Amino acid sequence: MTVLGTDEATADRGAPVAGAGAGAPKRRRFEFLYFALRNKKLIIGLSVVLLFVLFAIFGPLFVQHPLTAYGPPRHTPSGTYYFGTDYFGLDVFTQFVYGLRESLFVGLIGGCGATVIGMTLGFISGYKGGLIDEGLNVLCNVELTIPGLVLLILIAGFLHHTSPLIEGLLIACTTWTWSMRAIRAQTFSLVSRDFVGLARLSGEKSRSIIVREIAPNMSSYLFLVFILLFGGSILVAASFDFLGLGPAGGMSLGIMMMNAADWSALPLHTWWWFVPPGAAITCVVGGLYLANVGLDEVFNPKLREL
Amino acid sequence: MRRYLLRKLLIYILTFFIAATLDWVLPRLVPGNPIQQLLAKIELQPGTYNATYKLYMHSFGFDRPWWDQYLSFWKALFHGNLGISIYDFPKPVTSVIADYVLFTLALLIPAILLAYYAGNKVGAMAARRKSLDNTVLPVGYLLTATAYPWLALLLAFLLAAGGIGHFFPISGGFAYGLLPNWDWAFVWSLMTHWFLPFLTLFLVAFGGWAIGMRNLIIYELESDYTHYLEALGAPSRLVRKYAYRNAMLPQLTGLALQLGVIVGGAIVTEVTFAYPGLGYLIFQAVGNDDYFLLQGIFLFIIVGVLAANFIVDIVYVIVDPRTRVGISGA
Amino acid sequence: MGLKVDQLRICYRTLRGDVTAVDDVTFDIADGEIMGLAGESGCGKSTLGNSLIRMDVRMRQLGGRVELDGAELPISDARAMRDYRFKVVSIIPQYAMSALNPTRRVGKMVSELLRSRGFDYKSALPEFERRVKLVGLDADILKRYPIELSGGMKQRVVMIVSTLLNPSLLIADEITSALDVSTQRAVGEMLLEFRDRNFVKTTMVITHDLSILAQVADTILIMYAGKLAEKARTDVVIGSPLHPYTQLLISSLPEVGVRHDEHTLVGIPGRPPPLLNPPSGCRFRDRCPFAFDRCAADPPFVEVQPGHSVACWLHADGVSPAGGAEQC
Ligand SMILES: Nc1ncnc2c1ncn2[C@@H]1O[C@H](COP(=O)(O)OP(=O)(O)O)[C@@H](O)[C@H]1O
Ligand code: SF4
Ligand SMILES: [Mg+2]
């Protein structure tokens, strides 16, 4: 067969711009930035997340009252108590700042941990195939069927002392299945498509192809998976803390909501106690999801809107 | 098809085995043992600690070799014996669970099915109409990004505690003082207590399904077989029908995957509304260090989730013709 | 009557601007003729083919006119085109391997498609089955799902589905690319058979593989970077091409009966220019061994002999550079 262009397949998979792909890495990075800066979803999502991250970092500078300083109880939000005070007269804003820090930290640990575990297992599974794949896949399916929060409750029920780090890792141990499935499938398709074909064609060493071709392809995908897991971990941690299983003596957004529920915030209408922590979670996680959609569009030209 | 279902069944049996083993191992891994922790809570007369400790160790079998304990654990399991509850002493764990399970089922089944149905419909509509999409998409993402406890608190505050009004009771499974019997007052009380927990679960799940369906349909509408149909002049009615049917398949897989998340949400929601289901019970079990109850509920939930998974699998086989011709679909 | 395409310009709208993938294309195909359309991948072949039946949401017609059997084909009017599709204009798409709905049996899908276009499946069925047998398939494939079919089988199924209503114009896009060599020959023969049996009147065969065109095409049109390079009868294009690009393509073909394995992958050094803001002048200039000063202007596509047109300054005697069509 006479082939006029060897890249028919890639060219027809909808290369975004005619003639792109000649000077691959540099051009690709430039193109990524070009589309990233023009994607509203990505910009808005990331800005929201960044705002909260900055707030978590620099928030303590604006704190007026220490965590344990008692003021007037159930004070409505005001100039001195930005978010009001709780049942005991503690400043809700202070709790919010430190709670946000811990919730983001736990989410980050959970997201990173789950991505690393899922990536490792998914890559091994997809790359090796055969029995190893079969075994890991069964393990994944088993773990997937056991409800994560229920398993966490069981573990926490026996393990009485957790720290934010342990909490994050525990969450990672129950959520990695999502990333493994995704990465396994991705590895499969990459291995069967570009990699084998190219390796045969050019006689190149498979390892160098993994590093040069698969890794960059995967990294964008991994980042998407990480963002989703980060958001998911924050949500799981909120439920976990709300049930009183979180780190004892700590402060997190979930713990704030638990305290509010335990100390009659509902009948006493102390809404400022539980509205900010939950709203912050929705904003951060929503921002992450939005950024994920935006990034997906940036990485995947087919999804780009006009 | 048989192969597909058999394979699934095998995984489920394995899952149950692993879950049960975890259930058995975990309490034995904890520093100190549950009996010590248990006795620490009970006020004992001085001098009786050692005797009581021995008695408990023996009656729970902790003084025997581990393999013997493990075997008798399975034996007891097959006899449906999950031990004695401490929270509701001295009721057997199984009958405590039986008291609570109906509430959970009444909450979960309608929430899951209705959210799935409505989410898919609305998602499909959003994929068709840009104007609807502009509201469905952000609302859907906000709902999925919402923590269950927050939505539960918010709804309780607004609709039950007087934020907007006192339309619903704020906690419990039915009005205090009513005796369970099937008259209108009781059924009405059940319904009003049920509604807010249901709404919480429904809303979060609904958001997820709506987004999922919308994205899947858009993906299907960009696929090759759609373009072929359009190139051959097929009306959009047929094109959408195909896209919807094909998008249902990953959504169905998603349903199986989401079960665990929804069950987790139900626990938090039941706790918030003090709704007397298994979620509330497991929370009480943890709070009261009632390990037998904790283990029992865990296993019970696993069995329930496995059964639900299996039902989804059967539906999948019915909906995806490919699994029936011997080629597994997903 | 056949197909007449006149100064057609099609672009894709992208975030960075318009990509003109079909630029001022003029040609015609007679009744009963099979025209081959060849060129490197990315030169706009599929865009040209698709524009004649169904424009993608990103595609826009910037100019030109298409006439089929003496009447204008309203290619940018999606609503009006719907009536023509399948019945008058049909396509065997480049993605034939994935063109069938994976969750429908082949027969069921065809029946639903036919019914949606107002045809009765029952009465069409005998002819459909006859054609299924004609292309060497068993009638029971109608009860199969697409995943149960091999690549060659899927290709053939799509071929007969697309031509079931005896369209006037058939666009066959890369129908041999996914197949092995022996199946390629068989598929090529089917195209000839379809023409001889009057299943289709006019055929446009799109490919990046010239050897299949030598087998089936009456005339060949060569495209380069969205523009026409050369058009002539098949024996002329293969035997005595005039455009330097065509010449290089032909010389890189393996000679009949001789295996030049190293040759097949060499191709022509260099890459075509980008279609987003293309450079002015002859688009082949950077790769052309004969490029000279006149090539800084756009060469017109002119008929140098009856039925033989070329866009190259080497063969444009009597046309001044300024007289060439000034596009863009
Ligand atoms: N959806 C699209 N959006 C933008 N550019 C496109 C799109 N599809 C194709 N193109 C560009 O148009 C040119 C022609 O593509 P195509 O007609 O598919 O080429 P061929 O079929 O000859 O390989 C290519 O350079 C490609 O990059
Ligand atoms: S016009 Fe000039 S550059 Fe273009 S093909 Fe002819 S000789 Fe080559
Ligand atoms: Mg093409």
Side-chain angles (χ1 to χ4, degrees):
Chain A
M1 186 168 85
T2 313
V3 182
L4 300 181
T6 47
D7 55 351
E8 176 70 17
T10 37
D12 278 295
R13 224 162 252 150
V17 173
K26 227 186 240 165
R27 180 84 71 89
R28 207 179 286 165
R29 197 164 310 148
F30 170 76
E31 207 150 81
F32 167 77
L33 266 182
Y34 180 92
F35 287 114
L37 291 176
R38 271 160 191 76
N39 192 300
K40 259 194 231 146
K41 291 176 190 141
L42 179 61
I43 299 291
I44 296 175
L46 272 190
S47 312
V48 171
V49 175
L50 215 67
L51 200 75
F52 277 93
V53 168
L54 287 179
F55 187 71
I57 295 173
F58 298 109
L61 297 178
F62 306 104
V63 161
Q64 307 270 356
H65 315 273
L67 257 181
T68 49
Y70 292 90
R74 293 190 289 111
H75 195 283
T76 43
S78 68
T80 30
Y81 299 101
Y82 306 137
F83 286 1
T85 64
D86 67 12
Y87 186 83
F88 309 100
L90 297 171
D91 184 29
V92 174
F93 181 78
T94 312
Q95 296 177 18
F96 180 79
V97 169
Y98 290 103
L100 182 66
R101 283 187 146 200
E102 188 170 310
S103 291
L104 287 179
F105 176 74
V106 171
L108 200 63
I109 297 291
C112 286
T115 311
V116 169
I117 301 174
M119 178 179 75
T120 314
L121 295 184
F123 194 71
I124 292 175
S125 196
Y127 188 65
K128 294 273 185 193
L131 255 162
I132 295 179
D133 173 43
E134 193 72 19
L136 286 175
N137 197 24
V138 167
L139 178 72
C140 178
N141 277 321
V142 168
E143 171 93 35
L144 212 51
T145 352
I146 300 178
L149 189 66
V150 183
L151 183 58
L152 280 176
I153 291 175
L154 183 74
I155 297 173
F158 292 113
L159 194 80
H160 281 271
H161 307 286
T162 49
S163 67
L165 185 67
I166 293 179
E167 183 182 0
L169 291 178
L170 281 179
I171 290 174
C173 287
T174 55
T175 49
W176 57 269
T177 45
W178 299 85
S179 58
M180 171 177 164
R181 277 170 64 96
I183 287 157
R184 173 173 170 267
Q186 191 77 357
T187 312
F188 261 141
S189 77
L190 280 176
V191 163
S192 63
R193 199 197 329 143
D194 306 7
F195 162 64
V196 174
L198 275 180
R200 280 220 198 101
L201 228 113
S202 57
E204 211 173 332
K205 274 265 159 49
S206 44
R207 185 162 305 167
S208 76
I209 290 192
I210 294 177
V211 173
R212 287 197 310 119
E213 299 297 325
I214 294 193
N217 250 323
M218 275 300 226
S219 64
S220 59
Y221 196 71
L222 272 176
F223 193 59
L224 292 180
V225 168
F226 165 73
I227 289 183
L228 286 183
L229 285 172
F230 183 19
S233 297
I234 294 176
L235 289 179
V236 175
S239 289
F240 191 73
D241 291 348
F242 180 77
L243 292 177
L245 304 170
M251 182 48 68
S252 76
L253 299 179
I255 291 176
M256 284 175 78
M257 290 193 279
M258 171 187 76
N259 287 336
D262 284 354
W263 297 99
S264 315
L266 293 180
L268 296 175
H269 287 205
T270 330
W271 53 265
W272 51 86
W273 198 354
F274 62 83
V275 168
I281 290 175
T282 304
C283 288
V284 172
V285 178
L288 284 170
Y289 287 175
L290 197 64
N292 176 69
V293 178
L295 264 183
D296 206 12
E297 287 173 4
V298 172
F299 289 139
N300 187 350
K302 262 201 165 175
L303 301 172
R304 268 175 221 156
E305 280 177 41
L306 279 178
Chain B
M1 161 171 108
R2 186 163 301 161
R3 245 182 62 102
Y4 174 78
L5 285 181
L6 268 180
R7 202 189 131 81
K8 289 283 189 178
L9 204 60
L10 213 72
I11 288 182
Y12 295 153
I13 291 172
L14 192 69
T15 308
F16 180 76
F17 177 78
I18 291 178
T21 305
L22 262 180
D23 212 7
W24 177 82
V25 168
L26 274 176
R28 287 162 176 82
L29 280 182
V30 199
N33 67 38
I35 305 293
Q36 275 170 354
Q37 297 187 6
L38 182 65
L39 293 187
K41 297 221 161 180
I42 306 173
E43 288 196 19
L44 287 170
Q45 296 196 340
T48 59
Y49 183 89
N50 273 346
T52 324
Y53 180 74
K54 274 217 179 88
L55 182 75
Y56 269 89
M57 284 296 273
H58 186 70
S59 63
F60 287 127
F62 283 139
D63 52 354
R64 281 175 290 146
W66 68 267
W67 51 267
D68 191 22
Q69 293 180 38
Y70 189 55
L71 277 183
S72 34
F73 167 76
W74 276 102
K75 233 185 270 166
L77 211 58
F78 275 115
H79 287 108
N81 177 7
L82 296 173
I84 303 290
S85 166
I86 294 162
Y87 166 66
D88 202 352
F89 195 80
K91 254 186 167 176
V93 165
T94 37
S95 67
V96 180
I97 291 178
D99 289 346
Y100 287 76
V101 70
L102 278 183
F103 281 96
T104 289
L105 290 181
L107 196 57
L108 272 179
I109 293 176
I112 291 174
L113 293 183
L114 286 176
Y116 188 69
Y117 178 79
N120 281 332
K121 279 278 175 257
V122 171
M125 265 151 50
R128 181 166 26 190
R129 249 183 296 155
K130 191 84 191 148
S131 57
L132 187 63
D133 194 31
N134 288 339
T135 47
V136 168
L137 202 60
V139 170
Y141 273 111
L142 277 184
L143 284 176
T144 37
T146 297
Y148 280 102
W150 191 53
L151 189 59
L153 285 175
L154 217 53
L155 288 177
F157 172 67
L158 294 177
L159 301 177
I164 295 177
H166 296 271
F167 309 117
F168 298 96
I170 202 164
S171 72
F174 47 85
Y176 199 72
L178 275 182
L179 281 180
N181 75 46
W182 293 110
D183 58 23
W184 275 115
F186 183 69
V187 170
W188 177 247
S189 170
L190 278 181
M191 300 268 283
T192 50
H193 283 80
W194 166 87
F195 185 74
L196 285 182
F198 160 80
L199 190 63
T200 308
L201 289 178
F202 173 86
L203 283 177
V204 176
F206 168 83
W209 297 129
I211 294 171
M213 193 49 155
R214 175 218 175 249
N215 291 347
L216 282 169
I217 289 211
I218 286 177
Y219 176 82
E220 294 291 330
L221 290 179
E222 275 295 306
S223 70
D224 288 344
Y225 73 85
T226 302
H227 287 161
Y228 185 52
L229 279 178
E230 285 173 349
L232 296 189
S236 57
R237 193 168 21 88
L238 183 66
V239 171
R240 289 192 188 285
K241 180 173 140 191
Y242 278 11
Y244 185 74
R245 284 209 54 144
N246 288 359
M248 268 323 275
L249 300 177
Q251 282 289 81
L252 211 50
T253 313
L255 180 58
L257 295 178
Q258 283 296 324
L259 279 175
V261 178
I262 299 173
V263 167
I267 295 177
V268 174
T269 307
E270 286 180 7
V271 169
T272 313
F273 290 99
Y275 191 76
L278 285 186
Y280 180 72
L281 190 62
I282 202 172
F283 178 69
Q284 295 299 339
V286 172
N288 291 288
D289 286 324
D290 187 345
Y291 297 121
F292 287 111
L293 190 56
L294 183 55
Q295 287 177 314
I297 300 172
F298 178 69
L299 273 190
F300 198 87
I301 291 179
I302 297 289
V303 172
V305 171
L306 289 181
N309 262 291
F310 199 61
I311 293 173
V312 174
D313 285 335
I314 290 173
V315 174
Y316 195 96
V317 168
I318 294 170
V319 179
D320 187 354
R322 287 168 300 177
T323 54
R324 272 176 282 152
V325 295
I327 302 151
S328 75
Chain C
M1 305 264 249
L3 175 75
K4 261 191 194 332
V5 172
D6 193 28
Q7 299 194 316
L8 185 64
R9 278 162 60 93
I10 307 281
C11 76
Y12 288 101
R13 327 210 78 173
T14 73
L15 286 177
R16 315 177 110 184
D18 290 358
V19 174
T20 312
V22 171
D23 201 348
D24 194 26
V25 164
T26 302
F27 66 93
D28 41 49
I29 315 177
D31 272 351
E33 180 180 333
I34 296 182
M35 186 197 81
L37 175 61
E40 279 168 304
S41 77
C43 72
K45 306 180 300 288
S46 296
T47 309
L48 173 55
N50 290 335
S51 71
L52 298 181
I53 181 162
R54 187 189 147 265
M55 297 248 227
D56 194 296
V57 285
R58 298 177 190 83
M59 281 160 79
R60 292 284 179 284
Q61 179 183 7
L62 297 181
R65 187 183 147 83
V66 178
E67 216 173 83
L68 183 63
D69 298 332
E72 182 173 1
L73 196 61
I75 60 169
S76 13
D77 184 347
R79 196 169 286 238
M81 273 308 285
R82 193 165 275 178
D83 263 351
Y84 289 86
R85 295 180 188 148
F86 201 14
K87 298 181 197 167
V88 183
V89 187
S90 196
I91 188 168
I92 304 167
Q94 179 163 5
Y95 46 81
M97 293 303 123
S98 51
L100 299 169
N101 182 355
T103 59
R104 277 281 193 274
R105 289 174 206 274
V106 172
K108 173 104 167 139
M109 189 220 108
V110 174
S111 86
E112 287 178 331
L113 175 62
L114 280 176
R115 214 162 283 148
S116 78
R117 297 301 313 271
F119 291 92
D120 183 34
Y121 180 59
K122 280 248 171 57
S123 49
L125 190 60
E127 177 64 13
F128 187 32
E129 284 182 337
R130 203 169 67 80
R131 293 188 185 186
V132 167
K133 289 190 193 113
L134 181 73
V135 297
L137 294 174
D138 206 83
D140 83 28
I141 57 133
L142 297 188
K143 296 202 192 71
R144 304 264 200 92
Y145 289 99
I147 27 163
E148 297 176 87
L149 308 177
S150 72
M153 288 160 97
K154 273 187 258 190
Q155 184 72 60
R156 277 180 258 195
V157 168
V158 172
M159 284 177 78
I160 43 178
V161 171
S162 290
T163 53
L164 195 57
L165 301 180
N166 296 350
S168 189
L169 168 67
L170 174 69
I171 298 142
D173 197 350
E174 303 282 4
I175 53 173
T176 56
S177 305
L179 307 175
D180 60 77
V181 179
S182 63
T183 324
Q184 283 183 8
R185 292 232 135 244
V187 164
E189 245 131 59
M190 273 169 231
L191 276 184
L192 293 170
E193 179 102 32
F194 281 10
R195 189 252 314 258
D196 295 342
R197 288 176 181 260
N198 278 326
F199 292 175
V200 295
K201 263 197 273 178
T202 316
T203 312
M204 184 161 127
V205 182
I206 299 175
T207 184
H208 65 289
D209 173 11
L210 275 171
S211 54
I212 185 72
L213 292 187
Q215 182 198 348
V216 302
D218 302 313
T219 54
I220 294 180
L221 178 61
I222 305 282
M223 265 182 96
Y224 185 79
K227 287 187 156 276
L228 298 184
E230 181 159 15
K231 182 177 183 217
R233 283 204 324 273
T234 301
D235 55 324
V236 175
V237 168
I238 304 270
S240 49
L242 291 179
H243 198 286
Y245 176 59
T246 320
Q247 287 169 352
L248 283 168
L249 285 183
I250 302 296
S251 70
S252 68
L253 272 174
E255 279 160 50
V256 186
V258 188
R259 288 187 63 91
H260 286 287
D261 277 347
E262 73 278 19
H263 235 136
T264 54
L265 283 175
V266 172
I268 305 165
R271 284 188 155 266
L275 294 179
L276 179 80
N277 307 322
S280 63
C282 175
R283 296 200 174 162
F284 191 53
R285 196 157 38 131
D286 286 350
R287 299 162 86 187
C288 180
F290 309 109
F292 61 117
D293 51 358
R294 273 181 99 178
C295 309
D298 213 355
F301 189 63
V302 290
E303 193 163 39
V304 289
Q305 275 151 33
H308 190 171
S309 307
V310 185
C312 172
W313 286 119
L314 293 172
H315 307 281
D317 306 320
V319 185
S320 74
E326 279 295 321
Q327 286 100 2
C328 304

